[in-house]
Structures are given as C-alpha cells and as structure tokens.
Amino acid sequence: MNTLVVRPARVRTAGVRQQILLTAQQRLMILMLLFMAAFLLIAMRLLFFAMFDTASAQRSGAAAFLPARADIVDRNGVPLARTIDGYSIRVVPSKLLNNRAYLADELHKIFPDMTRADLLAKVSGSHATYIRRRALPDQVAAVNAIGDVGFDFPREKERLYPQTTLAAHALGFLNAEGEGVTGVEGAFDARLTDAATRGQPLAMSIDARVQGVLESELANAVVNLEAIGGAGVILDVHTGEVMAMTSLPTFNPNKLTGSDPTTRRNSVTYNLYELGSTFKPLSIAAAIDNGVVTSMARRYDATEPLAIAGFRIRDSHPSRRWLNVPETLIHSSNIVTARIGDELGREKMEHLFRELHFDQRSDIEIKERAHPLWPKDWGRLTTMTTSFGHGIAVTPLHLANAYAALVNGGIYRPATMLKLGDQAPPKGRRVFKASTSARMRQLLRLIVSDGTGKQADAPGFRVGGKTGSAEKPGAGGYRRHSLVSTFAAAFPMDNPRYAILVMIDEPKGNAFSSGQRTAGWTAAPVVKKVVMRAGPMLGVFPDERRDVDVSELTPLLWRNGETE
C-alpha cells in the first residue's frame, strides 16, 4: 500500500527565499561593477585633466585673484600706487523721476566743488553721464538717499595713489583707459599689466621717507623765496638708484581733472637749464685727467675780465688777483675756468660732455626726457663758456649723474627708477681717472668748508659740492634778474654714497635768503637741511671726527679774501 508523503510548506518557502537572495546578489554585483566602471571612468578623466590641463587651469584660477594692474611700492614696501574697486556716480536723465532743478540743488549740496549750472546740465542732458568718478562712500550714500532711480553706482577699477602728491612725477599717472602715461606707470606699463608679473608689486628705487624730506624742504624754500619752481634729486653714486626725485610745482595723480597740466612736467628730466658754475668741477676734472692741470699751485690771471671774440668774460665777485686751482673753485671764477677750458681745447671739452651724455637724453627708464641743447657753433668762445656752464643746457638729472661719476671713483652709470636689491649694479664705464676723482672730492669739500657752499655744510656729514647761479636766457640776451640757482653735491666726501642736486628757478632775494638770490644762499641751505634729516635714513650718520683729508690744499688758500 503506497503512502503519500506531504512536504511541509516551510521547505518550499525557504527555496523561494534562496532564489530571491541569489537574484539580489547578482543584481548587487552588477551594480557594483557598473559603479566601479563609472569610478574608473571618472578617475581616468581626472588623471587626463591633471596631466594635460593642469597648467591652463592653474593659470585661469590664479588670474581670478590677480589685480588688474600691479601695485607700485617704494624700496621698503610702502604702497605708492594700488588698483581698487571704486564707486562712480552716474546719471541716466531719461530715467529720472524728480524735478531737474531740485536734483541739481541736492547734488550741489553733496558736491560743492561743482557748480549748480554744471550739475543741472548733467541731469538735463540726453545721454548718460558721470557726475563723479572715484566717488567717496559718503557721497554715494548721499546721492542714493535722494531716492531717484535715474542714478546708478557702477563699480570700476580705479588707480589709487595713497600718498597723494608724494613722488607724483616719478610715479606718473594713467589715462582714462587705464594705460600708463608718464613716470614709472608709463615706462613699465607692460610689466604692470602682464598676467605673469602683475601679481608681484613693482619696487621703485625711491625711499618714501627721503622723498618726503626732499619735497618738504624744497617746497619750503620755493615758497619762502617766491620762486616759480624747483627740482631736486638724490642718487646712489654706486648703483645709480634714484632715492628721491621731486619737481615743483607738483600735482595729485588722484585728481587730474581740473588740475594745471603744466604741473605734470618733470623738471628733473624734462626741463633744460644752463646750470652755470656747477660745470666748473667737471671742466677742472677733465683738465687734470688730460694733463692740462698738473699742479694745484699753478696760478692764473683773474685780475681783469677776459676779452674774447668781442665778448668779455667776467667774474660775479671779482678777486682781481691771480688764483690757483682750489681758489678758482672756491671763488667760482669764470675767468680762470675759461682760461683752463681754452687750454683744454674744444676736442677734449666736447669729448667730456659726450662721455657724460650731455649730447643725448638722460639715462633713465621714464619716457619724459628732454634732449639737451647742444652748441651749434662750437668755436673757441663756446669752449670757454661751456666750461663754466653757459652755452649748453641740460636737465638736472644729467648733472646729478655727472657728479655721481665725479665722486665715485670716476665710473659713469645710468640712473634707474627700480630697486636693484641683490642685483649687481650696471657695470658702467670710466669717464674720470680714480686719482682725479679723489682730487675732486678734496676740492668739492673745500668749496663747502671755505667757499661759496658754506651754507650747505651739514655738521658731521662731510658735504662737498658746487654752487651755480646762472642767468636765464631770453629775448635779446640773458636776463640779469632771472636766475637758476643750483647746488650739486655729494656726501660723505671721505666715502661718497649719495649725490644730491637742488635747483630753484627764479628765487627772489628777500629776508629768507639775506637778500641774496645766488645758489650759496638759496639752494645750498636746502641741501644742508635735507642731508641732516635724510642722511640717517640712508645710513649716513654725522661724525665730526671724520673728513676727507685736504691738508695738502689748505696752505694754497688765501685766507684774507672774501668768498661769495
């Protein structure tokens, strides 16, 4: 008899569960494989970008954080020029809701420096126009508070000069398109806007502290002497770095609109002057170099004016006696310098001036450089007059460069507006013998200690230099009452480090200068004040125990005479 065996229901249920579990595992494996494939695909794409597109990605990413134009700083990192996001205030007349006269009244309260008529014209015009670029935040807020939808406030890249007028001519400015026009802004426009370099500030050679001293002292003199302007420059004699450069009158590069365009002219590099007796040490140095002057004790006739080609060369303060070489410079004798220049001759005198680049634009990066006025007819008379700085016109920077070479051992180097830092200075070229340079350091020091430059004798700083008071040329000849007064100097003379030149254009003889207009009473005192204030900033400290040795020259001086 067959027996029917019935399987329990739970056995069939377990089989179904196993089948479902197996199916789920298979599906999970498929999902894992798909996920791994996707992961590998993404990883390969990332690897591809890392290998082939990293550089461009980095460039585009970094560019987003670069300034539109590089900052400019002084040699110590003080900011002189920066690009910021500034506010502008613009009016779109077609969108204005309020009465135009009312708006002009309200705007005039906010901008009292603008006339109501100008403001009314702007809000009544047919085209959108700016009311104020580089607007202050409180001005933006005040215009916004008027509550008219016809005003908008676009954000624009603006160049800010945080030190306002400090070193304005050296820095320069931008045009409306944001392009450099003058100064360092113009000379290094490509470097300041290049994405590869604009991330790093451009360091100028200028020291903002020294610049401030030169500007304040020169401005004080120009104002008190009622002069029409002035110029000043300080150079490192061994590197050519410009430590300070100023031209007066000056301007504020933040506020060019409405300013006098003539104030933007850089007198140091762009104005030409006959710089007078400051040329005499250069001529004497050339005579020593060429064997024309072999003894400091040799005497030359200065008893009466020197007649040549229908002209008479005179001394401003005649000694009416024979003078040796140190006395020639101490008394600033045109007559003796002309005699020495005549002996030197045209060829050697012309060679000297060409070696000092007096026949070409000054050696510096900025664009605004004037070409000197070179003599057209270089005869015997021209050789004589150029020896004492008449008949040839150069910029103050030309002369400062020449004095740097005169005292640094005889090496001419171009000036630069950039901080050299650890870079080696330009090699330069020899224009004076080292022995001649040493002799000129003695003579320049004597001019300050015993001659026309006494007012520049800053105690302990061993200043040496030469005065120059030249009449300005005009219609029909030289104008006797219009002087360019210059003092060109270097310090400390026992180991020169800096050349300094101060020029004052048409000073008036008044109580500030004891009634005198000449350089010994106008420009020389400025040099003294600048050296005493700026010397320690430049690492030069007063030391009364040190000086250049002039003991072999002092016996040659006639102590009973009066100096200028």
Side-chain angles (χ1 to χ4, degrees):
M1 181 175 168
N2 293 331
T3 303
L4 179 63
V5 179
V6 179
R7 294 179 181 272
R10 63 172 177 250
V11 175
R12 289 195 301 273
T13 303
V16 173
R17 287 178 177 174
Q18 289 178 354
Q19 185 65 36
I20 293 172
L21 181 63
L22 180 61
T23 302
Q25 289 175 343
Q26 290 174 344
R27 290 176 178 175
L28 183 61
M29 288 294 293
I30 292 171
L31 287 173
M32 290 179 63
L33 289 172
L34 290 173
F35 177 78
M36 291 178 64
F39 178 80
L40 288 173
L41 180 61
I42 293 172
M44 290 176 65
R45 290 286 292 173
L46 291 174
L47 181 63
F48 173 82
F49 285 125
M51 292 177 62
F52 299 104
D53 206 40
T54 299
S56 61
Q58 287 178 343
R59 284 194 297 269
S60 61
F65 298 95
L66 290 177
R69 189 177 183 89
D71 291 354
I72 300 176
V73 298
D74 87 329
R75 64 186 304 106
N76 299 312
V78 176
L80 300 177
R82 281 182 168 171
T83 298
I84 61 171
D85 287 324
Y87 276 108
S88 294
I89 301 174
R90 190 176 61 169
V91 60
V92 183
S94 61
K95 294 183 178 180
L96 291 173
L97 302 177
N98 288 291
N99 177 270
R100 285 4 183 214
Y102 164 76
L103 291 175
D105 290 337
E106 292 300 306
L107 289 172
H108 185 56
K109 296 175 185 176
I110 302 170
F111 305 105
D113 57 320
M114 300 178 67
T115 66
R116 183 185 181 281
D118 286 342
L119 291 168
L120 182 61
K122 287 179 180 292
V123 298
S124 303
S126 58
H127 303 289
T129 184
Y130 284 95
I131 292 176
R132 177 63 54 90
R133 274 182 156 145
R134 303 178 67 91
L136 298 175
D138 58 342
Q139 294 172 333
V140 173
V143 174
N144 189 46
I146 295 176
D148 199 304
V149 296
F151 296 112
D152 59 19
F153 313 96
R155 299 296 298 269
E156 298 178 343
K157 296 294 182 184
E158 296 286 352
R159 196 63 163 170
L160 175 68
Y161 301 91
Q163 314 302 331
T164 62
T165 60
L166 187 77
H169 294 90
L171 276 169
F173 57 89
L174 309 184
N175 60 21
E177 287 71 41
E179 301 166 336
V181 178
T182 64
V184 168
E185 293 276 31
F188 297 97
D189 187 65
R191 187 270 186 228
L192 292 167
T193 56
D194 189 342
T197 55
R198 69 176 188 254
Q200 293 296 322
L202 179 68
M204 291 179 65
S205 58
I206 280 177
D207 186 319
R209 304 167 302 168
V210 178
Q211 179 74 27
V213 169
L214 181 61
E215 288 188 11
S216 65
E217 294 295 350
L218 182 59
N220 182 60
V222 167
V223 169
N224 282 287
L225 291 166
E226 305 172 72
I228 65 173
V233 62
I234 300 176
L235 295 178
D236 185 316
V237 301
H238 298 294
T239 66
E241 291 172 286
V242 177
M243 310 305 292
M245 176 189 288
T246 186
S247 176
L248 296 176
T250 189
F251 67 99
N252 184 348
N254 293 308
K255 298 180 179 180
L256 292 177
T257 303
S259 64
D260 183 356
T262 62
T263 63
R264 304 171 201 168
R265 189 182 181 99
N266 189 344
S267 299
V268 176
T269 63
Y270 203 69
N271 282 7
L272 298 172
Y273 305 94
E274 292 188 3
L275 293 172
S277 295
T278 55
F279 271 49
K280 290 173 182 173
L282 304 175
S283 302
I284 297 297
I288 295 173
D289 252 5
N290 288 279
V292 173
V293 171
T294 57
S295 171
M296 294 291 101
R298 179 183 170 184
R299 294 188 176 276
Y300 300 83
D301 184 5
T303 57
E304 58 184 9
L306 177 60
I308 175 73
F311 294 90
R312 295 172 72 83
I313 297 174
R314 306 172 185 274
D315 285 342
S316 298
H317 299 274
S319 300
R320 294 187 177 86
R321 63 185 182 87
W322 289 63
L323 301 175
N324 57 38
V325 175
E327 290 174 330
T328 296
L329 291 175
I330 284 174
H331 293 280
S332 196
S333 173
N334 296 336
I335 297 171
V336 176
T337 307
R339 291 187 186 279
I340 293 174
D342 191 32
E343 287 188 37
L344 183 64
R346 169 186 173 173
E347 182 180 345
K348 292 184 174 64
M349 184 69 74
E350 191 174 343
H351 176 75
L352 165 69
F353 292 155
R354 292 190 187 278
E355 283 288 284
L356 295 173
H357 286 189
F358 287 180
D359 62 335
Q360 57 188 274
R361 290 180 173 87
S362 55
D363 295 308
I364 198 167
E365 298 94 345
I366 59 179
K367 301 174 183 177
E368 49 278 15
R369 299 168 297 144
H371 196 290
L373 295 180
W374 189 258
K376 295 180 180 179
D377 180 19
W378 200 302
R380 185 183 176 196
L381 178 61
T382 300
T383 302
M384 288 183 169
T385 59
T386 55
S387 71
F388 54 86
H390 284 266
I392 183 171
V394 299
T395 69
L397 184 60
H398 279 100
L399 187 63
N401 267 343
Y403 266 65
L406 188 65
V407 302
N408 71 4
I411 305 299
Y412 180 91
R413 290 186 178 89
T416 180
M417 297 300 302
L418 297 182
K419 177 184 178 181
L420 295 181
D422 296 331
Q423 300 179 49
K427 184 178 179 181
R429 69 180 192 285
R430 181 165 295 284
V431 293
F432 298 110
K433 295 176 182 177
S435 58
T436 300
S437 179
R439 176 66 78 191
M440 294 313 301
R441 293 196 291 270
Q442 294 175 313
L443 292 169
L444 291 170
R445 179 68 182 125
L446 278 177
I447 295 169
V448 172
S449 63
D450 292 82
T452 58
K454 285 181 179 178
Q455 297 292 329
D457 198 7
F461 285 96
R462 296 92 72 197
V463 177
K466 182 69 186 76
T467 54
S469 306
E471 296 173 355
K472 296 175 73 172
Y478 287 93
R479 295 181 288 164
R480 294 188 59 187
H481 300 291
S482 298
L483 292 185
V484 173
S485 297
T486 309
F487 191 73
F491 69 99
M493 267 307 170
D494 53 317
N495 182 23
R497 291 181 58 186
Y498 300 99
I500 175 172
L501 181 144
V502 166
M503 186 278 295
I504 300 178
D505 194 355
E506 294 192 24
K508 303 293 187 297
N510 54 29
F512 186 77
S513 59
S514 300
Q516 303 295 318
R517 298 178 299 129
T518 55
W521 294 91
T522 56
V526 178
V527 169
K528 177 181 179 178
K529 294 174 183 177
V530 171
V531 169
M532 292 180 69
R533 290 180 59 189
M537 299 174 185
L538 294 168
V540 180
F541 298 93
D543 188 344
E544 299 277 5
R545 299 166 300 175
R546 299 179 58 184
D547 210 335
V548 63
D549 183 8
V550 294
S551 58
E552 64 175 306
L553 298 180
T554 50
L556 300 176
L557 305 183
W558 184 50
R559 295 293 182 177
N560 295 326
E562 290 293 332
T563 57
E564 180 181 344

